[in-house]
Amino acid sequence: MDLPTIWFLAIALLWTGYLVLEGFDFGVGMLLPSVGRDESGRRTMINAIGPVWDGNEVWLITAIGAMFAAFPAWYAATLSGFYVPVLLIVVALVFRGVAFEYRGKIDSAVWRRRWDAAIVGGSLVPAFGWGLVFANLLRGVEIGADGVVRSSLLDLLSPYALLGALATTALFVLHGALFLGLKTDGPVRHRARAAARRAALVAVPVVGGFLAWTAHDRGTGVPAAVAAVALLLTAVGCAAQRREGWAFAATAASIVAVSVMVFGGLYPALLPSLIDPAFGLTVANASSAPYTLGILSVVGAVFLPLVIGYQAWSYWVFRRRVHVDAA
């Protein structure tokens, strides 16, 4: 296996880790008004993800940094071609992070409601936006021989891409509801169980429809699609038996299966061209020089285990259920 392929797999791993880990805290954020119906409920939900949400974003920074270093043409074409969705995602993530820090600074219901709205929007926009971006990566964009993406924003809002965006949003809501059932206690836990049942009614058909459409168009990825849907159904069954740990593990594995289908469907392409397949970016024609990839491999071999180890340690330290008494 050559170095460009190894780095493609490493980037796929980083994106998968990001979607699994940040997926549940996006879901918690989107469920804030419906599951956290009073201040103690919302405080419980925020405390459940408080110790880990910013650490989860390290995977995003590392994934984008690795794209820049290993495949600079892919990085440039993706961020410029998806400029509007990516900008909206970044702005939403900034507002969300500020909201977590500021909502408790002033003892005012109005003040907290405004920051709660920022948390909901800051979770919904990235959940929807990343689905839109990855669906368009699979579908391809109008990229010319000069590596410039000519697709407009309207081109990115195709029915297929919008279904992909809805699929990630519904999947993350279900993932977040199961996390709350696993991590909290009291009324929040009961409402999270009910939210998981409602979310499953949307997530299973929407995710299944998107995966079926993808498998039909590309002619590959059927095993991963079947595995993803089967894992979602397993999660629903485990949640019905109140086995939240297994249910959460099943949605996490389902996200991994979806990621396998996305990146497995892309390879060896990185950004397919709808103008001419010869203009598309591939692992072979968009990678950095072998010397650069060699240096990156040494750096990655040292620091990637440290990142994974730190995250595992933080989840272990904050593993207990969260409960906040009403004032």
Side-chain angles (χ1 to χ4, degrees):
M1 187 181 297
D2 56 11
L3 278 178
T5 300
I6 291 173
W7 271 99
F8 174 80
L9 293 174
I11 291 168
L13 174 65
L14 291 168
W15 276 110
T16 303
Y18 171 69
L19 296 174
V20 169
L21 296 176
E22 189 104 289
F24 73 75
D25 68 53
F26 285 153
V28 172
M30 287 186 281
L31 289 168
L32 194 65
S34 58
V35 175
R37 294 177 185 171
D38 51 25
E39 176 54 24
S40 66
R42 289 189 285 274
R43 191 69 254 169
T44 300
M45 294 173 68
I46 293 171
N47 286 355
I49 59 173
V52 296
W53 72 268
D54 48 355
N56 294 340
E57 293 189 348
V58 170
W59 290 79
L60 172 64
I61 297 168
T62 310
I64 292 179
M67 286 175 65
F68 170 74
F71 301 101
W74 187 24
Y75 166 88
T78 300
L79 293 193
S80 62
F82 302 120
Y83 177 77
V84 174
V86 170
L87 178 64
L88 290 174
I89 289 170
V90 171
V91 171
L93 289 175
V94 169
F95 268 94
R96 182 171 174 266
V98 173
F100 283 135
E101 299 295 332
Y102 274 65
R103 82 177 292 279
K105 297 297 184 184
I106 297 178
D107 187 15
S108 162
V110 175
W111 173 267
R112 287 192 292 267
R113 275 201 303 272
R114 289 174 178 169
W115 287 118
D116 288 347
I119 292 173
V120 175
S123 302
L124 174 61
V125 171
F128 189 89
W130 287 128
L132 192 75
V133 168
F134 280 106
N136 276 295
L137 282 177
L138 277 170
R139 175 176 171 265
V141 293
E142 294 180 7
I143 182 171
D146 53 2
V148 175
V149 177
R150 295 174 173 79
S151 297
S152 67
L153 178 60
L154 286 179
D155 295 329
L156 302 180
L157 300 177
S158 65
Y160 173 75
L162 290 173
L163 182 60
L166 289 175
T168 51
T169 305
L171 184 54
F172 291 164
V173 169
L174 175 61
H175 198 37
L178 293 174
F179 176 78
L180 286 174
L182 176 66
K183 187 68 179 174
T184 64
D185 209 345
V188 171
R189 187 182 184 190
H190 296 301
R191 290 196 289 268
R193 286 171 172 168
R197 289 194 293 272
R198 294 192 297 271
L201 294 176
V202 178
V204 173
V206 172
V207 173
F210 173 70
L211 296 178
W213 191 339
T214 303
H216 176 269
D217 281 359
R218 304 192 69 84
T220 59
V222 174
V226 171
V229 175
L231 286 163
L232 271 184
L233 293 173
T234 301
V236 174
C238 291
Q241 299 174 22
R242 300 191 173 185
R243 302 173 70 178
E244 285 108 347
W246 285 107
F248 179 73
T251 52
S254 180
I255 295 172
V256 172
V258 173
S259 183
V260 168
M261 186 175 190
V262 170
F263 286 98
L266 270 178
Y267 185 83
L270 297 174
L271 192 58
S273 173
L274 296 176
I275 299 174
D276 186 330
F279 297 160
L281 301 180
T282 67
V283 169
N285 68 21
S287 66
S288 295
Y291 178 77
T292 303
L293 293 179
I295 296 294
L296 282 176
S297 300
V298 174
V299 173
V302 172
F303 287 101
L304 190 57
L306 292 177
V307 171
I308 295 173
Y310 166 76
Q311 283 237 291
W313 175 79
S314 63
Y315 275 91
W316 175 256
V317 169
F318 297 102
R319 65 188 180 279
R320 298 187 184 280
R321 289 185 184 274
V322 175
H323 178 77
V324 176
D325 293 327

